[in-house]
Amino acid sequence: MDLGIITVFLPIALAIIMAGLGLELRPQDFTRVAKHPKAVLLALVCQLVILVGIAFFICKLLSLSPLLAVGLMLLAASPGGPTANLFSYLYQGDIALNITLTAINSVIAAFTLPFIVNLAIQHFINDGQQLGLQFSKVIQVFLIILVPVCLGMIIRHTLPRLADRLHKPVRTFAVVFLVFIILAALTRERHNIMEYITQVGLATALFCFASLFIGYFVPRYFGINSTQARACAFEIGIHNSTLAMTIALTILSSTTIAMPAAIYSIFMYIFAALFGSMLKRYSPITTENKMAIKTE
């Protein structure tokens, strides 16, 4: 697929998906952070500090090529998404906390994602001035993430029935679009795909496992109950690969940078399902903690 077409089409499609995310959010999803400050703070530290550091370590450890390294850092900087809520529901996480984390992450990512990506470009790519996210591109990232989410929230607040009707079609569109963008990226790089899988497959698998593992066990270590720790694990462990690929293909105009997110998308669902099944088997929810599953 021609990058010119991608540049026009993908941001529009992503805006629809991000608006769909906004359809699930309410103002109280932001204020609820006051009820779970410790869990939210730990999740943000894991997402923005620990995992970004681990992604950097993986890039160095496996000696990824510069563009693939930037792609992995872009993926690490991307927030969670609505899929995390689904996995949290399936594996008895605190859905309300998931929604709160999604809301907070979506706002923070508009600022942190360009910052992290620019640092990665400056470190891994010598000619970073030509590829970096300059101010105009930072504004694009900001608009892609925040404006559609705010629009979705306005629709939820003013036209709740319409929001309910749009919820399922937008979710379906998000899944179809994710499959499409993965296939588009893989098709464009079909001659190099086996090389990319060899180069970045282990890196994305390690990053996926680390995201889920850290997202659960760091909160548990600090006394967060199992239902909330599961919510943190899936919110942190399931990155918005659609956002990462769209930024790579449109704003950075690089299919190579999109490869880690594309390959990660394949691992993500498998790893998340296996991790959730492991938690249900070896760390079952107690009667006391079942009360925490109920949303406010």
Side-chain angles (χ1 to χ4, degrees):
M1 179 178 289
D2 181 49
L3 271 180
I5 298 175
I6 289 177
T7 302
V8 175
F9 174 71
L10 293 192
I12 296 173
L14 181 64
I16 295 173
I17 294 173
M18 297 305 288
L21 171 61
L23 292 174
E24 301 181 23
L25 301 177
R26 298 173 175 84
Q28 55 265 38
D29 296 325
F30 292 89
T31 59
R32 193 186 291 117
V33 66
K35 296 183 179 180
H36 309 295
K38 185 177 180 180
V40 172
L41 179 61
L42 285 171
L44 291 177
V45 170
C46 289
Q47 176 95 44
L48 300 174
V49 180
I50 299 178
L51 283 181
V52 170
I54 286 177
F56 181 81
F57 175 76
I58 291 173
C59 292
K60 289 294 191 179
L61 178 67
L62 299 181
S63 300
L64 295 185
S65 67
L67 291 178
L68 291 178
V70 171
L72 188 64
M73 296 303 294
L74 169 60
L75 177 65
S78 299
T83 306
N85 301 344
L86 174 61
F87 274 92
S88 193
Y89 170 76
L90 293 174
Y91 296 105
Q92 298 179 299
D94 187 331
I95 307 298
L97 178 58
N98 263 116
I99 295 173
T100 296
L101 290 172
T102 298
I104 300 298
N105 268 333
S106 298
V107 174
I108 293 178
F111 302 93
T112 58
L113 189 148
F115 176 73
I116 293 170
V117 171
N118 270 338
L119 286 181
I121 289 172
Q122 291 173 15
H123 180 81
F124 291 108
I125 301 176
N126 294 329
D127 192 16
Q129 293 299 316
Q130 295 182 7
L131 188 63
L133 293 176
Q134 289 82 30
F135 181 74
S136 61
K137 294 183 178 181
V138 171
I139 295 298
Q140 283 182 261
V141 173
F142 188 83
L143 294 176
I144 285 174
I145 295 176
L146 279 191
V147 173
V149 171
C150 293
L151 178 61
M153 290 184 66
I154 291 171
I155 295 174
R156 162 61 62 185
H157 180 71
T158 58
L159 301 168
R161 291 185 179 180
L162 176 61
D164 290 336
R165 288 199 297 268
L166 289 175
H167 176 73
K168 186 174 181 180
V170 173
R171 271 290 182 93
T172 302
F173 175 79
V175 174
V176 173
F177 176 66
L178 176 60
V179 173
F180 167 78
I181 191 175
I182 292 172
L183 291 177
L186 295 181
T187 300
R188 186 176 176 83
E189 295 291 332
R190 60 188 178 277
H191 301 300
N192 302 315
I193 188 60
M194 291 310 299
E195 182 181 353
Y196 284 139
I197 291 176
T198 301
Q199 291 178 352
V200 84
L202 176 59
T204 54
L206 287 173
F207 180 72
C208 188
F209 173 78
S211 298
L212 291 163
F213 186 88
I214 289 170
Y216 180 78
F217 287 102
V218 169
R220 287 294 285 157
Y221 177 81
F222 285 97
I224 302 300
N225 68 51
S226 184
T227 57
Q228 292 186 344
R230 291 175 191 221
C232 293
F234 291 118
E235 185 66 31
I236 295 167
I238 300 178
H239 294 259
N240 193 336
S241 54
T242 306
L243 174 63
M245 282 187 282
T246 301
I247 291 174
L249 293 171
T250 58
I251 297 177
L252 295 174
S253 301
S254 172
T255 49
T256 303
I257 292 178
M259 282 299 105
I263 296 171
Y264 166 85
S265 298
I266 300 171
F267 288 125
M268 176 178 69
Y269 294 102
I270 299 172
F271 275 52
L274 290 174
F275 190 79
S277 299
M278 181 190 73
L279 291 180
K280 288 186 72 172
R281 179 173 181 179
Y282 296 106
S283 182
I285 299 295
T286 63
T287 303
E288 178 183 356
N289 281 337
K290 284 182 179 180
M291 298 302 296
I293 301 176
K294 296 181 179 180
T295 59
E296 284 84 350

